[in-house]
Amino acid sequence: MKPEQSVDKLASLAQVTRLRIFRLLVQAGPPGVNAGAIADALGIAPNTLSFHVAHLARAGMVLPRQEGRFIFYSANYPAMDELIAYLTDNCCQGKGRCLPKTAAASTTRRRRQAA
Amino acid sequence: MKPEQSVDKLASLAQVTRLRIFRLLVQAGPPGVNAGAIADALGIAPNTLSFHVAHLARAGMVLPRQEGRFIFYSANYPAMDELIAYLTDNCCQGKGRCLPKTAAASTTRRRRQAA
DNA sequence: TCAATGTTTCCATGATTATGGAAATGTAGC
DNA sequence: GCTACATTTCCATAATCATGGAAACATTGA
């Protein structure tokens, strides 16, 4: 993953409303939640929700799926996985056991060390 | 971890210069790198580095350590671990196997589902 | 105390961002 | 075509942020 893409993904999560949306979708699972229901659940205006969920979608952190006149959004799990792998990539030159809870990401892949 | 703290941590990473700094430190390991060396490695002005590394430190993603007249910064690995756990918390209601590379974080701990 | 070096703070500027009201677009059913 | 509903786009405003020049502060050694 390119640094700019990672920044976009992180920026899409680095905002209270969007983080709430994303976590709601992460916990909702693959079926996702439609826009109006998200707005209701979080108590935000529909246009504000649209703005933020579009931000998340543009960054690739959520995926839209049309269903009738509803649009369901779901978390993009592979994208989150990739992002975490990028952050923890080549951790401690691959030597240390720095991330007890997240061990898998840093030890299963070795990439170029481009800072 | 509180949502605001997570947002601060994510925001501290959601910027090209800071992400480069952080990844440099993640790969450097616990000893860390002093401010001037980071600035040199990334080709940025010392005041700009100071601004960004302070941002990362305020968010708790890096830790400063005084050594002579140098200040070494190192990645705060537990903080990164907590952040990842927060993002993946209660993933798919704990049912799915959504995050192949990051399995540990979502399956080893069950927290409150505060969105 | 003085000089040299490492790091941070002060300040101004240009750029990006979040928010909501209002209007527009799209979709479904009659 | 018309109406109802779901969602998005347009627009303006206020707030936050990134950057670098210059000055200040801190630490070390003579």
Side-chain angles (χ1 to χ4, degrees):
Chain A
M1 183 157 40
K2 295 272 179 61
E4 290 78 12
Q5 297 175 327
S6 305
V7 168
D8 288 345
K9 286 184 167 55
L10 288 164
S12 77
L13 298 174
Q15 207 279 340
V16 204
T17 304
R18 284 197 295 271
L19 186 56
R20 291 177 69 207
I21 295 172
F22 183 72
R23 272 170 57 84
L24 179 72
L25 296 179
V26 163
Q27 296 176 10
V33 184
N34 65 295
I38 301 174
D40 283 350
L42 304 184
I44 57 185
N47 57 348
T48 301
L49 174 95
S50 186
F51 171 78
H52 286 300
V53 85
H55 201 314
L56 284 162
R58 203 177 329 118
M61 291 306 293
V62 305
L63 300 170
R65 172 172 44 90
Q66 184 100 14
E67 197 144 320
R69 50 178 155 174
F70 296 84
I71 296 183
F72 283 77
Y73 289 93
S74 56
N76 187 353
Y77 296 99
M80 178 160 63
D81 216 17
E82 284 279 344
L83 178 61
I84 293 171
Y86 180 79
L87 286 176
T88 61
D89 180 43
N90 203 17
C91 171
C92 301
Q93 300 117 21
K95 295 175 193 164
R97 200 123 18 264
C98 308
L99 302 166
K101 299 173 197 146
T102 321
S106 58
T107 55
T108 55
R109 42 167 49 202
R110 299 284 154 77
R111 305 166 135 198
R112 76 262 176 272
Q113 63 163 13
Chain B
M1 183 156 41
K2 296 272 178 61
E4 290 78 12
Q5 297 175 327
S6 304
V7 167
D8 288 346
K9 286 184 167 54
L10 288 164
S12 77
L13 297 174
Q15 207 278 340
V16 204
T17 304
R18 285 197 295 270
L19 186 57
R20 292 177 68 208
I21 295 172
F22 184 72
R23 272 170 54 84
L24 180 71
L25 296 180
V26 163
Q27 298 177 8
V33 184
N34 66 293
I38 301 174
D40 283 350
L42 304 183
I44 57 185
N47 58 348
T48 300
L49 174 95
S50 185
F51 172 78
H52 285 300
V53 85
H55 201 316
L56 285 163
R58 205 177 326 118
M61 293 305 293
V62 304
L63 300 170
R65 171 173 44 88
Q66 184 100 16
E67 197 143 320
R69 52 178 154 179
F70 296 85
I71 295 183
F72 283 78
Y73 290 93
S74 56
N76 187 353
Y77 297 99
M80 177 158 66
D81 216 17
E82 284 280 343
L83 178 61
I84 292 171
Y86 180 79
L87 286 177
T88 61
D89 181 42
N90 204 15
C91 171
C92 299
Q93 300 116 21
K95 294 175 194 164
R97 201 126 12 264
C98 309
L99 301 165
K101 298 172 198 149
T102 321
S106 58
T107 55
T108 55
R109 43 165 49 200
R110 297 285 154 75
R111 306 166 134 198
R112 76 259 176 274
Q113 63 164 13

